[in-house]
Amino acid sequence: MPAGGQGNLFEQEPFPKAAHRELGNTQMRKNLRHATHSIRDKRLKVVGELPDWEALRDAGSTIKNNSMATLEERLLEFEKNFTARGGVVHWARDADEANKIVTDLVRGTGATEVVKVKSMATQEIGLNEHLESEGIDAFETDLAELIVQLGHDKPSHILVPAIHKNRTEVRDIFLKEMPVVDPNLTDEPAKLAEAARAHLRKKFLAAKVAISGANFALADTGTLGVVESEGNGRMCLTLPETLITVMGIEKVLPHWEDIEVFMQLLPRSSTGERMNPYTSLWTGVTEDDGPQNVHIVLLDNGRTRALADRFGRTALNCIRCSACMNVCPVYERTGGHAYGSTYPGPIGAILSPLLTGIEVEENGSLPYASSLCGACYEACPVKINIPEILVHLRGEDVDAKREKHKLPTQMDLLMKGGSWALGKGKNIGLLEKALPLGRLAAGKDKKIKKLPGIAAGWTQSRDIPAPPNKSFRDWWSDEKESK
């Protein structure tokens, strides 16, 4: 089995414990509900305008499945074409290797500061923290990422990292953390954007090195693409002398024509827009135009491991639109921090365990962070069957724990008991003889408030009514005899 991923892919604490704490954050829940419902409504409107939306979803799914089936071939084809146009390709097995490659490249330029385009891959490997430990300052230029960075916080959403903050909280962060800012700054969105623009302008003009992620890599031309909304990406991708892109190997697409499908799926599914404001595509180096030193770090970090899982590999088809998060009832109430990993929400509940391996204890509770309602599957633009993969991973988790503990667990014994009881009518009949004991345990208020062992989970937030005087079978038998 290929090695698992490293970096920010792990739960910091079991999901139930983290979720319980986050549920008490009423401000966060209010912010999240407003934001996710707004994006959800916009998405439904623009998706409804396309009569061939389902055909587009099918096309996106097919392209990604074909790409994953021929991944090695596509990556080598991309390397050949990217190199032929003057770019340099680096391969990184894990987060440590990727961080070292990027650090060495930045040091080679003599720079001690870099500007960044929003990138999930660099968050996954903890690049900012690594660069800081090496004496290199990384400045996020996406507005939401800037808010998170200045607030010494963590992203809580794939697309809108500061979705848990309202504009008053953003203003307070700017007043506290921005070196030069108007002390009378209000929480008007235009004023906040103006303050961020003034703060970042000097960084853009002074930076010698930029670091980006990529939404797509096109194998047949060696082209990279970034889709964004603010123009900060365009500044980073064109102004500095050196551009370093860190990209997961699953982002490669076979053909240039494939972006026709994804440029219709991605903006509508992510921000509810017909077209995103900025799409930047570059192929290697163009003389006297833009960065003259262009590098890409192709990151594995557990993706080969996920690809080896024949049930879970479609999770690698994810295009990071976050549509699944905006419709998830669990995410809406707990927020992204409860998941611990860089990847929150329904897609994170499958992607993180697939990248690290479900047997890694820190990610064992993520596949259970779902009601299995199926809303995420309905919203996914590339038709990733998240509920099906969640059930698969739950089974893997049970098997992994069984192998680790050897002795039967409480769940094993409970399932065996259930199998025996439901296997024959006379067995369940014997158990029904114990109903009076249940009524005795319920007491005068006729409620069972605490069960022992693993069953205590049922009574943590609910009471069980006292069992009836007689079972349905006994009642039915009595009724028949009385007629």
Side-chain angles (χ1 to χ4, degrees), residues 76-335:
L76 293 175
E77 184 183 4
F78 171 80
E79 180 185 35
K80 177 185 173 185
N81 290 319
F82 189 75
T83 304
R85 295 295 301 271
V88 181
V89 176
H90 308 262
W91 298 83
R93 281 176 297 189
D94 52 35
D96 287 345
E97 281 194 3
N99 284 330
K100 184 176 186 308
I101 291 169
V102 175
T103 303
D104 290 344
L105 289 172
V106 176
R107 278 186 174 154
T109 67
T112 56
E113 292 185 353
V114 300
V115 289
K116 285 188 66 202
V117 188
K118 183 180 182 307
S119 160
M120 299 301 295
T122 60
Q123 289 176 19
E124 174 187 321
I125 62 177
L127 180 62
N128 286 11
E129 296 81 359
H130 180 79
L131 290 176
E132 185 180 5
S133 71
E134 298 291 330
I136 300 169
D137 294 324
F139 296 96
E140 296 288 350
T141 62
D142 173 86
L143 178 57
E145 290 287 359
L146 175 67
I147 293 166
V148 170
Q149 186 177 43
L150 291 176
H152 310 287
D153 201 352
K154 290 184 176 180
S156 62
H157 191 278
I158 287 177
L159 185 72
V160 197
I163 197 171
H164 56 293
K165 299 289 187 187
N166 61 32
R167 61 190 191 183
T168 302
E169 292 172 306
V170 173
R171 180 204 59 188
D172 294 343
I173 291 172
F174 282 9
L175 287 173
K176 183 179 178 184
E177 299 291 338
M178 279 186 175
V180 181
V181 67
D182 181 356
N184 297 315
L185 180 68
T186 69
D187 63 1
E188 291 179 63
K191 296 295 182 185
L192 295 172
E194 184 180 342
R197 189 179 295 115
H199 173 75
L200 290 172
R201 180 68 61 176
K202 295 177 183 175
K203 303 297 181 188
F204 284 130
L205 296 176
K208 292 183 177 179
V209 181
I211 298 174
S212 81
N215 292 96
F216 312 111
L218 305 173
D220 62 349
T221 60
T223 301
L224 290 169
V226 163
V227 177
E228 43 118 5
S229 299
E230 299 171 12
N232 65 300
R234 181 69 57 82
M235 301 278 274
C236 290
L237 298 171
T238 55
L239 289 177
E241 298 167 2
T242 298
L243 173 60
I244 305 167
T245 300
V246 181
M247 186 191 80
I249 56 175
E250 81 281 15
K251 295 293 185 68
V252 69
L253 297 175
H255 308 295
W256 170 269
E257 293 79 9
D258 294 333
I259 60 172
E260 174 189 349
V261 173
F262 291 99
M263 290 310 297
Q264 295 182 76
L265 290 172
L266 181 56
R268 285 177 170 82
S269 299
S270 56
T271 55
E273 296 172 299
R274 298 180 184 90
M275 180 181 289
N276 56 287
Y278 294 89
T279 300
S280 300
L281 301 169
W282 68 101
T283 308
V285 177
T286 301
E287 189 176 355
D288 297 328
D289 186 11
Q292 297 301 295
N293 304 305
V294 178
H295 300 263
I296 182 168
V297 181
L298 292 171
L299 175 69
D300 187 323
N301 204 37
R303 285 159 176 80
T304 304
R305 183 188 183 93
L307 191 64
D309 187 318
R310 66 189 181 96
F311 293 106
R313 65 177 57 161
T314 54
L316 293 175
N317 293 353
C318 175
I319 58 173
R320 310 289 192 268
C321 69
S322 71
C324 61
M325 301 167 65
N326 298 330
V327 298
C328 177
V330 176
Y331 174 83
E332 182 183 317
R333 286 156 180 81
T334 65

Side-chain angles (χ1 to χ4, degrees), residues 335-391:
H337 292 162
Y339 295 80
S341 166
T342 292
Y343 302 104
I347 188 63
I350 60 172
L351 190 57
S352 300
L354 284 165
L355 292 175
T356 63
I358 191 66
E359 69 279 4
V360 176
E361 195 167 338
E362 288 87 343
N363 279 343
S365 70
L366 283 179
Y368 302 93
S370 169
S371 64
L372 301 179
C373 68
C376 49
Y377 181 37
E378 294 296 322
C380 178
V382 289
K383 293 193 170 181
I384 301 172
N385 194 333
I386 294 176
E388 189 174 278
I389 299 175
L390 284 167
V391 172

